[in-house]
Amino acid sequence: MTLTALVTNLPRFSAGSIFGQWELAPVPFVITVWAVGFYLLGVRTLRRRGDRWPWGRTLSFVVIGMGLFLFATSSGLAAYDTTLVSVHMVQHMVLSMLVPMALALGAPVTLALRTLPPGLRRGLLTVLHSRVAKVLSFPPLTFLLYVISPWALYFSGWYEATLNSTYLHEMMHVHLVLVGSLFFWPIIGVDPVPGRVSYPFRMLLVVLTLPFHAFLGVTIMGQDTLLGGDWYPRLHDGPMGAWLPDPYDDQHVAGGLLWGSGDLVALVLFGVLFTQWVRASIKEAAREDRRLDLIEARERADRERAVSGADADGD
């Protein structure tokens, strides 16, 4: 199915268009309903048996993570993502960075391990400990997938193909979230997933993404050829030609958005990582204090027993 008919007569793009042009995309909508439903069912199960589940995690997964996923794929961002490449770039960054980060902070794997029936819990643990999971979460591999994926998308025939197929277009959205999740989950997630590394190495991985985002953005800004081939110029031949910007100018804006938003989201990620690192250090210090207190108590008890024994022998 072609997307051409869906973008032939959209009104002039504005900030209000983002919230005024809504159309539910089938695949993202179904994914959102099922993911939110199972998550809330797990939270309800925990609370019914008297266990605590932080509201922050629910907010992160349901409202921010899945909410942004649905917003990016069904709001004006989705309506105009095949009309303006600059709008698509905003959508790209939301799906590849913000959504995976929020989902990871929601700790859905931990929730599943605490609420699933024993058989399903064993199955999930088997998957988490499998060789495939370890390979897919290997930090150097996830880093390469994350930084190479956008280059493959924009500098091959893949992006143009997604503009001409509704199915491929929606699969691209899902792909962006999956690749972002593979990269971000072990870095900032609290779930017991393979691939977790020390906080200094996590910081290093984030730092390494910065030049790739910047270089990709600058490259797109300076391109002599248009992303998507003749897709965007052909839109000027229709009724939207009266308000559509020059495709090269719009692509220049798109590259700048990719560059700037990548750095901005990275700063947010640094803040999250730093907070997690401090909290982990505090918890580790508390555990070490308890361990030392226990050792000291045992040594004191041993000395008291030794003194008591000596007194008894003296008597």
Side-chain angles (χ1 to χ4, degrees), residues 107-156:
V109 176
T110 301
L111 180 63
L113 291 174
R114 293 181 61 181
T115 57
L116 286 175
L120 292 177
R121 187 184 303 122
R122 285 193 295 270
L124 178 57
L125 287 171
T126 300
V127 171
L128 291 174
H129 296 149
S130 66
R131 185 182 299 274
V132 173
K134 292 177 180 178
V135 171
L136 289 177
S137 60
F138 184 54
L141 176 61
T142 60
F143 173 78
L144 287 176
L145 286 174
Y146 185 71
V147 298
I148 291 176
S149 178
W151 288 90
L153 171 63
Y154 296 121
F155 297 102
S156 69

Side-chain angles (χ1 to χ4, degrees), residues 75-88:
S75 70
L77 287 181
Y80 286 87
D81 72 338
T82 55
T83 304
L84 297 167
V85 69
S86 55
V87 174
H88 161 78

Side-chain angles (χ1 to χ4, degrees), residues 24-92:
L24 293 180
V27 174
F29 178 70
V30 171
I31 292 174
T32 301
V33 171
W34 279 93
V36 171
F38 277 120
Y39 191 95
L40 293 179
L41 180 61
V43 174
R44 181 186 179 191
T45 300
L46 276 182
R47 296 191 180 279
R48 275 189 166 185
R49 69 189 188 200
D51 291 341
R52 179 180 174 275
W53 184 256
W55 281 107
R57 292 182 181 179
T58 304
L59 177 68
S60 181
F61 186 92
V62 175
V63 179
I64 301 177
M66 297 311 303
L68 280 177
F69 177 68
L70 185 64
F71 180 78
T73 55
S74 299
S75 70
L77 287 181
Y80 286 87
D81 72 338
T82 55
T83 304
L84 297 167
V85 69
S86 55
V87 174
H88 161 78
M89 204 59 69
V90 174
Q91 182 194 56
H92 174 128

Side-chain angles (χ1 to χ4, degrees), residues 155 215-225 248 251-253 255-256:
F155 297 102
F215 186 46
L216 178 59
V218 170
T219 302
I220 290 176
M221 292 171 68
Q223 275 287 102
D224 293 330
T225 57
Y248 287 97
Q251 183 166 301
H252 187 86
V253 173

Side-chain angles (χ1 to χ4, degrees), residues 65-301:
M66 297 311 303
L68 280 177
F69 177 68
L70 185 64
F71 180 78
T73 55
S74 299
S75 70
L77 287 181
Y80 286 87
D81 72 338
T82 55
T83 304
L84 297 167
V85 69
S86 55
V87 174
H88 161 78
M89 204 59 69
V90 174
Q91 182 194 56
H92 174 128
M93 298 305 292
V94 170
L95 292 173
S96 65
M97 297 190 77
L98 295 181
V99 171
M101 289 169 58
L103 295 180
L105 292 172
V109 176
T110 301
L111 180 63
L113 291 174
R114 293 181 61 181
T115 57
L116 286 175
L120 292 177
R121 187 184 303 122
R122 285 193 295 270
L124 178 57
L125 287 171
T126 300
V127 171
L128 291 174
H129 296 149
S130 66
R131 185 182 299 274
V132 173
K134 292 177 180 178
V135 171
L136 289 177
S137 60
F138 184 54
L141 176 61
T142 60
F143 173 78
L144 287 176
L145 286 174
Y146 185 71
V147 298
I148 291 176
S149 178
W151 288 90
L153 171 63
Y154 296 121
F155 297 102
S156 69
W158 180 14
Y159 182 64
E160 187 173 359
T162 66
L163 293 172
N164 289 281
S165 168
T166 301
Y167 174 76
L168 290 179
H169 196 71
E170 292 192 1
M171 288 301 100
M172 175 188 66
H173 297 157
V174 175
H175 166 83
L176 291 173
V177 175
L178 289 178
V179 171
S181 295
L182 285 175
F183 178 69
F184 286 111
W185 219 287
I187 292 179
I188 67 170
V190 295
D191 284 323
V193 296
R196 294 172 66 84
V197 293
S198 64
Y199 279 100
F201 191 66
R202 297 182 198 186
M203 291 285 193
L204 176 62
L205 287 174
V206 176
V207 170
L208 290 176
T209 65
L210 295 178
F212 285 96
H213 274 128
F215 186 46
L216 178 59
V218 170
T219 302
I220 290 176
M221 292 171 68
Q223 275 287 102
D224 293 330
T225 57
L226 291 172
L227 302 181
D230 65 346
W231 173 271
Y232 295 104
R234 281 193 288 115
L235 296 179
H236 284 255
D237 297 331
M240 293 188 297
W243 65 264
L244 282 173
D246 179 80
Y248 287 97
D249 292 340
D250 190 45
Q251 183 166 301
H252 187 86
V253 173
L257 287 171
L258 177 62
W259 180 5
S261 61
D263 290 347
L264 180 61
V265 175
L267 288 176
V268 175
L269 181 55
F270 274 124
V272 173
L273 277 175
F274 181 76
T275 301
Q276 290 181 337
W277 194 352
V278 170
R279 289 180 177 177
S281 299
I282 293 174
K283 290 180 179 179
E284 180 62 30
R287 284 194 296 268
E288 182 65 15
D289 287 342
R290 288 195 297 270
R291 188 184 70 85
L292 294 175
D293 290 342
L294 181 59
I295 292 174
E296 184 179 353
R298 288 175 178 173
E299 291 177 347
R300 184 166 56 249

